[in-house]
Amino acid sequence: EGNFIVTQGGAELRGDRGSYNNASGQSILIGNTTLVVGDRQFNTQRLEGNHRNEIFLLEGHVKSPIDSDLEVRSDAMVYRGATEAATFTGEVEVISEQWRIIANRAELSDGELVLFDGWKEPNTSIQSAGEEIARLPSLLDDDDEGDRREAFDSLTLDIATRVARLNVAEN
């Protein structure tokens, strides 16, 4: 208990409390846990690790800063060290200072975040005393054709350039 740290390979796990089984390569950390892999950091309440296969399950208020003003939040996440990919599940929120998107699943790999399964933009209205005072811009606004939400099944955000690439849904 207290400042529990496991370092193995390229991963570091930190938490308030934890256990590590050297024979099986399994760890469990509880309370303010963090998985650090390279320059990526994932914060959560509970983390289970399989160090031999480099697979980590994070559960409970998962947060991952992508850069200075972009963060992914979810109910759970699986990180696979072999592919350096993170899969976020449950209600997934991508939050920026300018916008916010919700999905049921997201994949973070190679600097790209792909949102799947019923993604949507929540109400972007900012209200004061019951009156709308501002509206955040929609990523899907298209002045010529209107909202194209139904024509796409996934949204890809290129983290480096902040370009949103929409993938056309197959009919």
Side-chain angles (χ1 to χ4, degrees), residues 147-154 166-171:
D147 182 56
R148 299 179 294 171
R149 191 177 313 256
E150 298 301 321
F152 303 96
D153 67 354
S154 68
L166 299 172
N167 300 322
V168 177
E170 295 180 22
N171 294 329

Side-chain angles (χ1 to χ4, degrees), residues 74-76 87-93 101-106 115-120:
S74 70
D75 296 328
T87 302
F88 298 88
T89 59
E91 183 172 273
V92 179
E93 294 179 283
I101 296 176
I102 297 172
N104 295 328
R105 183 172 63 92
L115 303 178
F116 299 97
D117 301 340
W119 66 271
K120 63 182 179 178

Side-chain angles (χ1 to χ4, degrees), residues 49-69:
N50 178 319
H51 296 268
R52 292 208 173 103
N53 296 326
E54 294 185 65
I55 298 174
F56 303 97
L57 170 64
L58 290 75
E59 296 177 302
H61 307 290
V62 178
K63 294 181 184 180
S64 179
I66 302 299
D67 64 18
S68 61
D69 71 338

